[in-house]
Structures are given as C-alpha cells and as structure tokens.
C-alpha cells in the first residue's frame, strides 16, 4: 500500500493549498491512503495575527471548536473523494514550549484518526523527552514525526530495541519523513537516509514490531513527489516492516 501520512494545507501557516488540491495531487500520483496533518496551532488560531497576540487576550477560547471544525472539513473531503483515495483525519502536534505553539491543556483530539507528535527531541519540548506519558495524555493513536529515535533512545539511555518494543506495545508508530521540498530547502532527513542504509537498524525495528509510516510533509502541491513516497513505502514492504493502517484498507 502506498501511503502518505503527513501533509499540510492552508490550515497551517506554512501551508498553501486547499485540501482538495492536496487530495487531487495525491490521487494523480497514485497514493492509496492520504493523511491530513495540519499544525495544531494553525488550526487552533486560524489567523496568523491571532497566533501572535498575547495569550492573555484570548485565553485559548474557541481553540477546541476550531479543532472540531478542521476535523469536520477534512471529513467532508474524505467523503468527497471516497472511492478514489482513502483519507485520514490527522493532526500534527507541536510540543515546543513557548507562546501558543503547543496544544492547550484542555483540548481534546481523541476523535482524530491519529496524530503525529513533533519536537520530541528538542530541549524545550513540553514532553521533556517522555513520549509515552505525553502520548497517553493525548488519548489518540500517535506517531512520532521527523525524529531520529535511535539517537533519542541513546540520549535518554535506553536500548533502541527496548524503546521501539515499548512503542509497539503502546501502539505508537514512527515516521520516516521523506520530504524534499522548497519550504525545507530540499533538505533530506539524515535519520531516514541512515535507516535505509543500515540493515542493522532495520533489523532492530523489524524485531521490535513497531510500525513505520512514510510522510512527505508537503506544504505546496507543486513540490509534491508521490513517486518518492511510493519508493519508500515499497522499500519498507520489501524489508518486512509494517506500516500503520495497512490492514484497514484494501
Ligand atoms: Zn513537523
Ligand atoms: Zn509537518
């Protein structure tokens, strides 16, 4: 199955296109399963000006309703394209401390199909590097976005195999971020290149039973490379590593 579980639309401040344009680019590129994952703060604040306001001016009001409206919109997109592509209603959760970036404490995202957690390995992450406690609190099917988890496990002094096993046990997947776009200066993720060049690392991940996703992390459709996404999905299948949602759609 060719899946892309990481994409952005005009709901993200850094995104550009309507969800329809993103869905149509994915259909044209032969993607079977597409997940929308706009940034929580883009969805929650809707307007850049709101995002930069002093938090005291709005106290996070309406944030939860914005999360719901985004979900409802993506749900309409899912229905509109049913039969042509499978669509998932996801969200990318920023965990950086600092004004307005992370998800407000009282916000519910448990109704989303999944979320991807970012900045886990940053020193100002509100997770404090503790993926498991944070994921449990979110109450949603979780993945870890664009993070070198081998390096992270080492940093916190845990054997990578044990770390991935625990992720598998707690039903958390790991993203291979294969973005290659103008927004990120055509930068590739070193941890992804390392992983696909290292049979040892692949072995550890395979043994652990953790699922691995592929995400292009697209921000504008003119940069989208669905062939690249397909190549990485096929590579995972070839080395016997399962992807999330693989058995849910046929
Ligand atoms: Zn991200
Ligand atoms: Zn992203």
């Amino acid at each position: 199955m060719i899946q892309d579980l990481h994409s952005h639309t005009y709901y993200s401040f850094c995104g550009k296109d309507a969800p329809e344009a993103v869905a149509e680019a994915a259909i044209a590129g032969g993607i079977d399963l597409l997940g929308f994952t706009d940034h929580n703060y883009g969805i929650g604040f809707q307007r850049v000006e709101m995002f930069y306001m002093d938090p005291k001016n709005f106290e996070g009001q309406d944030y939860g309703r914005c999360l719901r409206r985004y979900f409802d919109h993506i749900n309409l997109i899912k229905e509109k394209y049913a039969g042509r592509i499978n669509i998932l209603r996801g969200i990318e959760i920023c965990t950086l401390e600092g004004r307005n970036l992370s998800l407000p404490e009282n916000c519910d995202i448990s109704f989303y199909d999944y979320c991807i957690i970012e900045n886990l390995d940053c020193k100002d992450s509100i997770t404090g590097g503790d993926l498991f406690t944070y994921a449990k609190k979110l109450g949603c099917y979780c993945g870890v976005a664009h993070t070198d988890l081998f390096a992270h496990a080492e940093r916190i002094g845990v054997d990578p195999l044990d770390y991935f096993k625990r992720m598998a046990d707690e039903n958390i997947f790991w993203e291979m971020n294969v973005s290659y776009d103008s927004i990120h200066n055509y930068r590739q993720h070193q941890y992804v290149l390392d992983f696909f060049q290292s049979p040892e690392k692949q072995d550890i991940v395979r043994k652990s039973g953790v699922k691995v996703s592929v995400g292009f992390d697209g921000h504008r459709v003119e940069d989208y490379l669905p062939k690249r996404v397909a190549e990485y999905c096929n590579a995972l299948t070839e080395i016997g590593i399962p992807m999330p949602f693989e058995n849910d759609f046929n």
Side-chain angles (χ1 to χ4, degrees):
M1 167 188 264
I2 307 305
Q3 51 170 263
D4 182 355
L5 295 194
H6 192 157
S7 68
H8 294 275
T9 72
Y10 54 37
Y11 279 95
S12 297
F13 298 144
C14 50
K16 179 177 144 253
D17 305 292
E20 277 90 347
V22 176
E24 277 160 27
I27 291 167
I31 304 290
D32 303 309
L33 177 66
L34 170 68
F36 285 95
T37 52
D38 280 295
H39 291 293
N40 63 281
Y41 50 91
I43 299 167
F45 288 105
Q46 301 181 85
R47 297 179 187 87
V48 184
E49 306 82 55
M50 289 276 287
F51 174 71
Y52 284 108
M53 275 166 77
D54 189 318
K56 280 204 285 299
N57 290 341
F58 59 88
E59 296 287 336
Q61 54 181 300
D62 212 33
Y63 201 110
R65 291 210 312 173
C66 293
L67 292 175
R68 178 56 77 169
R69 287 204 291 265
Y70 171 70
F71 178 90
D72 289 344
H73 185 186
I74 301 304
N75 193 51
L76 290 173
I77 301 296
K78 172 189 164 91
E79 286 169 6
K80 177 172 175 175
Y81 291 99
R84 299 175 65 197
I85 190 167
N86 295 302
I87 285 178
L88 293 171
R89 303 149 301 187
I91 183 168
E92 182 166 23
I93 301 295
C94 179
T95 67
L96 286 180
E97 209 177 282
R99 197 148 98 176
N100 298 342
L101 279 165
S102 60
L103 192 70
E105 277 286 328
N106 54 354
C107 277
D108 179 23
I109 60 155
S110 62
F111 52 90
Y112 281 87
D113 292 321
Y114 70 104
C115 72
I116 45 176
I117 298 167
E118 63 171 351
N119 328 107
L120 175 70
D121 58 345
C122 296
K123 69 174 186 316
D124 48 352
S125 171
I126 58 166
T127 64
D130 179 359
L131 167 64
F132 302 106
T133 304
Y134 189 73
K136 202 165 276 168
K137 213 172 76 176
L138 290 177
C140 183
Y141 183 35
C142 292
V144 177
H146 50 74
T147 298
D148 183 346
L149 287 181
F150 276 96
H152 180 66
E154 228 163 83
R155 204 175 306 119
I156 61 175
V158 179
D159 178 65
L161 177 60
D162 292 339
Y163 196 80
F164 288 120
K165 269 187 180 161
R166 184 161 177 205
M167 283 177 70
D169 281 351
E170 303 197 14
N171 207 20
I172 300 171
F173 65 89
W174 183 28
E175 173 191 81
M176 288 290 140
N177 189 300
V178 302
S179 95
Y180 189 77
D181 64 7
S182 57
I183 276 252
H184 300 104
N185 260 322
Y186 303 103
R187 181 176 59 92
Q188 299 192 66
H189 283 77
Q190 192 58 46
Y191 82 92
V192 174
L193 301 176
D194 290 348
F195 178 76
F196 283 102
Q197 275 163 16
S198 166
E200 247 170 65
K201 286 185 171 172
Q202 294 165 15
D203 217 42
I204 290 169
V205 166
R206 191 172 30 239
K207 261 190 210 142
S208 75
V210 74
K211 290 181 178 169
V212 174
S213 68
V214 172
F216 189 74
D217 201 1
H219 291 76
R220 46 215 63 224
V221 292
E222 63 265 32
D223 288 342
Y224 194 39
L225 298 172
K227 253 198 197 142
R228 184 173 163 86
V229 173
E231 276 166 20
Y232 279 102
C233 289
N234 290 332
L236 285 174
T237 303
E238 245 163 65
I239 58 180
I241 292 175
M243 292 183 279
F245 302 107
E246 221 169 19
N247 303 318
D248 302 349
F249 303 93
N250 280 312

